[in-house]
Amino acid sequence: MKMFLEDMEDGERLALPFLFEFWAHPHQLPPEGDWRTWVILGGRGAGKTRAGAEWVRSMVEGPRPLDPGKCKRVALVGETLDQVREVMVFGDSGILKCTPPDRMPKWVSGRQCLVWPNGAEAMAFSAFSPESLRGPQFDAAWADELAKWPKGRETWDQLQFALRLGRDPRACVTTTPRNVEVLKTLLELESTVRTHAPTEANRAFLAAPFLDEVRRRYEGTRLGLQELDGILVDQVDGALWTLEMLDAARMGRQPELGRIVVAVDPPAGDGKASDACGIIVAGVVMDGPPAAWKGYVLEDASVQGLGPAGWAAAACEAAARWKADRVVAEVNQGGAMVTSVLHTVDPMLPVKTVHATRGKIARAEPVAALYEQGRVFHARGLEALEAQMGRMTNGGYLGQGSPDRVDALVWAIHELMLDKQGYVSPQVRVL
């Protein structure tokens, strides 16, 4: 590298920081070919904003500062005007930070517009106001965080009608994926190309403690797949719990609960490579007959890699934290050892052991039916549990490892609701 820099002239060295093609990751460079929309799917911090800003530069700048570029009128569309200004324009990876001084555009606040020395303009628009895109016309557009736009479909449609200037109007979309219709429809179009990268692709510019912490907390969860891996988590065909069911289960204020249990699904192995120990806290409101009771999933206290003493301590702490009436523990793995380990931590802990003699799906189906009836609700912070629930199908679990959190959930709801309604499960034996 030293020899490379020494062989360059002064002007070349000054220009080098602004030659994005030299520094860019592959996912930050536009694909070749005939396309109308380039979608960059990436995790948090993967360099999406920088890629969008550099693409705008490549569209509006000519070889010299006053030379015309490929495009003259660009739309900058974000969730809000503030986000367009603070992220896309003035942000650390925004257009102004990426542009060399001799072709730096000026921000005209009264017009919400960037103006380049060569006359090119980029106007800011908010996804809260799709109608503001009626009238203006553009030959390029940069749409940031499309998947979180409040009026995504309406705004995107209006932008398509406005992209009508020039011989080849194009759009760049930079977004962390979410399971929203406008993004899924866009990705299915033949005129759309995509690049993709996880958060780690840009690790050189991210704090190491940040990466370690978010990976530790969200690895393998639906939130982690979306926010870190940049993967669009769609609904699995035949899922026992659909995304719509889980969205409908969002809990408001926690009611007064008549009974609370902590359900434990111990791991088969012992060590960091073993499955997690599923620990789910749930309660029930017992108003009216048992068929009218409602369940509330309060906390996912699951742990991994702690060994028997560690997961037993976590279960006992959850029971104490919620003043649980009892702990329900599956003993397929470990038998009497499970009760013994729990009582080692808390000798007075009320423990009920259960044993499954049939498969997970047969146990889970009646619990999923309660969700369909709108009788089970979720507190915040259950993303890891919900990610597993979304992979449980009639044909089995489609995720990696064991659905330990779902197993614990199923035991909890059985104990609180199904056993009290006269439901006789052929696959459960109480010890």
Side-chain angles (χ1 to χ4, degrees):
M1 176 61 77
K2 183 178 180 181
M3 294 180 59
F4 171 72
L5 293 174
E6 289 176 346
D7 290 341
M8 299 178 71
E9 297 180 358
D10 290 345
E12 292 173 329
R13 281 194 292 270
L14 290 172
L16 186 59
F18 301 101
L19 298 178
F20 189 59
E21 294 84 354
F22 181 82
W23 302 102
H25 298 295
H27 74 276
Q28 294 177 305
L29 297 175
E32 297 181 357
D34 184 18
W35 50 266
R36 180 172 173 84
T37 306
W38 170 31
V39 179
I40 307 174
L41 296 175
R44 298 283 188 92
K48 304 184 298 297
T49 302
R50 178 67 184 272
E54 294 285 0
W55 182 79
V56 170
R57 279 192 58 208
S58 73
M59 292 293 102
V60 301
E61 292 180 7
R64 293 172 298 184
L66 298 181
D67 291 344
K70 300 175 184 177
C71 300
K72 195 172 180 66
R73 292 183 60 81
V74 180
L76 304 177
V77 190
E79 181 182 9
T80 66
L81 286 175
D82 284 346
Q83 291 195 359
V84 174
R85 184 173 60 250
E86 300 302 323
V87 176
M88 302 170 73
V89 176
F90 288 94
D92 290 338
S93 299
I95 293 170
L96 296 183
K97 289 291 180 69
C98 299
T99 305
D102 63 345
R103 47 193 81 200
M104 182 72 68
K106 293 183 179 180
W107 175 252
V108 182
S109 58
R111 297 180 58 208
Q112 298 287 294
C113 178
L114 278 174
V115 180
W116 275 263
N118 65 4
E121 295 183 347
M123 301 193 68
F125 296 90
S126 165
F128 274 95
S129 304
E131 292 298 310
S132 64
L133 285 161
R134 286 183 179 272
Q137 51 186 354
F138 307 97
D139 45 16
W142 174 20
D144 189 46
E145 294 298 352
L146 169 69
K148 61 178 292 196
W149 286 2
K151 298 181 180 180
R153 169 54 64 190
E154 299 94 322
T155 305
W156 182 253
D157 287 344
Q158 291 301 327
L159 180 60
Q160 300 315 293
F161 289 121
L163 274 173
R164 56 180 185 263
L165 290 181
R167 293 181 300 176
D168 187 22
R170 291 184 171 189
C172 174
V173 175
T174 53
T175 189
T176 300
R178 287 186 178 182
N179 191 44
V180 294
E181 198 61 35
V182 61
L183 178 59
K184 292 192 293 183
T185 301
L186 175 60
L187 292 173
E188 291 173 356
L189 296 176
E190 292 184 0
S191 58
T192 298
V193 295
R194 75 169 86 179
T195 56
H196 163 266
T199 296
E200 281 83 357
N202 205 31
R203 65 164 57 248
F205 299 96
L206 300 172
F210 159 77
L211 284 174
D212 292 341
E213 176 66 13
V214 294
R215 274 297 174 194
R216 184 184 66 80
R217 293 184 62 181
Y218 302 110
E219 182 74 43
T221 70
R222 187 170 69 175
L223 188 65
L225 291 172
Q226 171 182 291
E227 302 293 331
L228 298 177
D229 297 310
I231 295 174
L232 178 62
V233 182
D234 205 346
Q235 184 170 296
V236 174
D237 289 341
L240 295 180
W241 286 275
T242 66
L243 296 175
E244 291 77 10
M245 288 165 61
L246 293 174
D247 287 341
R250 303 299 171 209
M251 186 173 80
R253 178 180 297 181
Q254 180 184 314
E256 183 176 347
L257 301 170
R259 193 162 176 261
I260 296 176
V261 300
V262 176
V264 181
D265 178 56
D270 183 6
K272 292 184 178 180
S274 66
D275 292 326
C277 175
I279 303 173
I280 299 296
V281 184
V284 64
V285 172
M286 299 183 288
D287 289 342
W293 293 359
K294 293 183 178 179
Y296 293 83
V297 184
L298 306 170
E299 182 186 355
D300 180 357
S302 302
V303 294
Q304 186 167 11
L306 298 185
W311 59 252
C316 292
E317 289 168 5
R321 187 163 55 248
W322 288 95
K323 297 180 173 60
D325 296 280
R326 73 168 47 173
V327 170
V328 179
E330 180 181 329
V331 295
N332 283 47
Q333 305 291 344
M337 182 274 291
V338 173
T339 304
S340 176
V341 171
L342 289 167
H343 280 159
T344 298
V345 179
D346 182 357
M348 303 303 294
L349 186 73
V351 178
K352 175 180 179 179
T353 57
V354 289
H355 188 282
T357 60
R358 288 192 183 178
K360 300 177 186 293
I361 302 306
R363 295 198 306 274
E365 284 178 332
V367 175
L370 294 177
Y371 280 79
E372 286 188 275
Q373 297 166 17
R375 294 177 54 200
V376 183
F377 302 90
H378 281 199
R380 294 179 180 272
L382 300 175
E383 291 85 3
L385 168 64
E386 292 175 357
Q388 286 192 355
M389 294 170 73
R391 300 188 189 109
M392 291 287 288
T393 74
N394 290 316
Y397 179 60
L398 300 186
Q400 295 182 346
S402 172
D404 31 64
R405 301 167 195 265
V406 178
D407 285 345
L409 167 76
V410 168
W411 289 122
I413 300 301
H414 265 282
E415 170 66 21
L416 291 170
M417 301 178 69
L418 292 171
D419 291 352
K420 311 307 176 185
Q421 296 178 33
Y423 175 82
V424 178
S425 174
Q427 66 272 2
V428 177
R429 183 169 71 248
V430 179
L431 301 181

